[in-house]
Amino acid sequence: MQKIRSFLQFLFTLACIALLVWAFTLARQWGQGEAVPSLFSFRLGGKKGIAPTPAQLRSIERIGKWEFLSIEDEEIVDTVRHRLLLPDQHLVRIYRGTLSLGIDLSQAQQEWVRMQSDTVVVTLPPVTLLNPQFIDEACTRTFHETGTWDAQAREQMYQKARRVMMDRCLSEENLRMAQETGKAHIKTVFRNLGFENVVVE
Amino acid sequence: MGMGQNEGRDADADSTDLVLRISRQSRLYTAECKFHKIVTHEDLLQWEASVLGYEFKKKLPIGNRKIAIPIDVTLRVYIDFSDFSPSQVRREGETIHIILPDPRIVVSSSRVDHKGIRQYTNITRHEYTDEEMTSFTRQGVQSILKKAPETGILDTARENAAALLVPLLTQLGYKKEHIRITFKDRLEETPLELLYDNEGSVIRLTKE
């Protein structure tokens, strides 16, 4: 009995010393301006970020595309699945893309820039959409989602968004605006290069 | 997949316009690079505890889920001529010296290969939501952007800018050996955040 009592007293003394050491450590941390951790904490959770996997560089290309008009567009696309006796399921996504209108210099004539006496004559190729794949899917926002949706549904929504944005943005007015902007900018660039007389066709 | 898939029919997708912003530009894109990446996420439930400052972690054998998302990202590099002025052109006798602004990187497009997505979900967990998958895609594009300068795309853009302008100037009467094209700042010392065009993108490069 005496031995048990001594052992318990020993354990109690040990626990007190451990608590004092811990309290001293906390006080020092608090004195140094560090956050004081709680005595006990518990969390059940998982990882938030993606794993660090390498990116494969598929190609590096030299291009010559001069953009004169940039159109940022957003499109909300939704799809619904009707079910008998159960609530409908919805997926609503907001797609974002930037259409780039301008000229592709690879489509230009051999001598698209030439001197005629003291005049620089520039013949521009027609204005086109420089980036047919203009949707930045990483910027897509999910507005509302119920149920699970397969690859086909998402692919259809993407194509729908792309089609609608192209129909809206590739209007005659925008193409004309891109052409006029292009002529004005090219003229300015050549004038700044020191050529007084510039004609842009 | 999807309880209702065999029970009902799918309606056609509908769309409504939200935002349209048009900007006049004068950007010469001189380089483009394409990346492919498989973004992976492993969601293992774990128990974390802290007792008297000591931390403990234990993975639980239940409720795991994993996903792999293949993405294709196209980056383009451009020289901005919208502020090009006579002060950036210097003439010394027969020599013409053009000082171009720094090239800038922009995400031209990013595409998720939806058919290539693979996910494995324990019965005790719900499948990855669309919002989660989009968040992972965004993180994947962010990681590609951070590595972009290491590919040498900026050097390619500068070289190609010169390759496009030199023949142009020779056609206007300058000799090749009298043409000099340089860029404003030392790109090696420019922070990545300044090389990346944030305008119009929700992706923001952050310092590590």
Side-chain angles (χ1 to χ4, degrees), chain A residues 19 22 38-84 86 89 91 93-94 96 98 100 105 110-115 120 130-131 133-142 145 148-151 154-155 157-160 164 168-169 174 177 181 185 188-190 192-195, chain B residues 1-5 7-53 60 72 76 81-82 84-86 89 91 96 98 107-112 114-115 127 129-131 133-134 136-141 143-144 151 153 156 159-160 163-164 168-169 171-172 174 199-203:
Chain A
L19 271 173
W22 177 73
S38 55
L39 186 60
F40 295 103
S41 69
F42 167 80
R43 194 179 85 90
L44 185 66
K47 211 165 45 169
K48 300 291 179 201
I50 60 172
T53 54
Q56 186 190 12
L57 176 62
R58 285 275 165 93
S59 64
I60 295 183
E61 251 181 78
R62 292 170 184 253
I63 58 174
K65 295 183 181 179
W66 208 315
E67 178 190 76
F68 300 129
L69 201 72
S70 149
I71 306 172
E72 284 172 48
D73 196 14
E74 279 189 334
E75 186 67 28
I76 185 166
V77 181
D78 70 331
T79 187
V80 61
R81 183 184 292 130
H82 300 295
R83 301 187 296 171
L84 289 171
L86 287 167
Q89 291 181 330
L91 177 59
R93 301 182 106 205
I94 301 172
R96 195 167 183 174
T98 304
S100 182
L105 295 178
Q110 188 109 13
E111 290 187 351
W112 64 285
V113 177
R114 60 191 186 279
M115 287 295 291
V120 175
L130 299 178
N131 57 339
Q133 302 298 326
F134 52 82
I135 290 182
D136 193 349
E137 229 176 325
C139 298
T140 303
R141 283 181 290 141
T142 307
E145 182 186 8
T148 52
W149 298 89
D150 59 9
R154 289 192 175 86
E155 182 64 26
M157 291 174 78
Y158 172 90
Q159 294 300 341
K160 176 80 179 182
V164 171
R168 182 170 49 248
C169 298
N174 286 339
M177 198 188 306
T181 306
H185 275 298
T188 305
V189 167
F190 279 98
N192 289 339
L193 284 171
F195 300 95
Chain B
M1 182 169 68
M3 284 169 51
Q5 204 155 7
E7 293 181 34
R9 59 175 181 84
D10 292 346
D12 289 337
D14 194 7
S15 61
T16 308
D17 173 31
L18 272 192
V19 168
L20 190 72
R21 191 172 89 166
I22 300 174
S23 312
R24 292 171 197 265
Q25 307 283 5
S26 184
R27 295 178 176 180
L28 179 59
Y29 290 93
T30 57
E32 175 181 282
C33 65
K34 296 187 178 180
F35 289 89
H36 178 75
K37 182 179 172 78
I38 298 179
V39 178
T40 61
H41 182 266
E42 200 171 342
D43 191 3
L44 305 172
L45 268 185
Q46 61 182 16
W47 174 83
E48 295 171 6
S50 173
V51 178
L52 298 177
L60 298 176
D72 292 293
R76 286 189 179 178
F81 277 89
S82 52
F84 188 69
S85 66
V89 181
R91 277 178 204 79
I96 182 168
I98 300 170
V107 175
S108 179
S109 73
S110 65
R111 190 88 166 85
V112 175
H114 295 289
K115 285 181 187 165
E127 290 197 4
T129 63
D130 195 68
E131 198 171 338
M133 288 194 272
T134 310
F136 299 149
T137 306
R138 214 169 3 250
Q139 290 177 49
V141 173
S143 71
I144 288 173
T151 62
I153 190 173
T156 304
E159 285 164 15
N160 202 36
L164 286 170
L168 211 127
L169 290 166
Q171 280 176 11
L172 296 175
Y174 286 96
E199 195 181 319
S201 173
V202 295
I203 297 175

Side-chain angles (χ1 to χ4, degrees), chain A residues 12-26 39, chain B residues 52:
Chain A
F12 179 73
T13 312
L14 209 61
C16 288
I17 293 170
L19 271 173
L20 277 171
V21 167
W22 177 73
F24 174 72
T25 312
L26 284 184
L39 186 60
Chain B
L52 298 177

Side-chain angles (χ1 to χ4, degrees), chain B residues 162-185:
Chain B
L164 286 170
L165 292 173
V166 166
L168 211 127
L169 290 166
T170 53
Q171 280 176 11
L172 296 175
Y174 286 96
K175 287 186 183 169
K176 223 185 242 186
E177 54 271 21
H178 294 155
I179 300 169
R180 196 170 152 222
I181 295 173
T182 57
F183 290 82
K184 262 189 187 167
D185 294 321

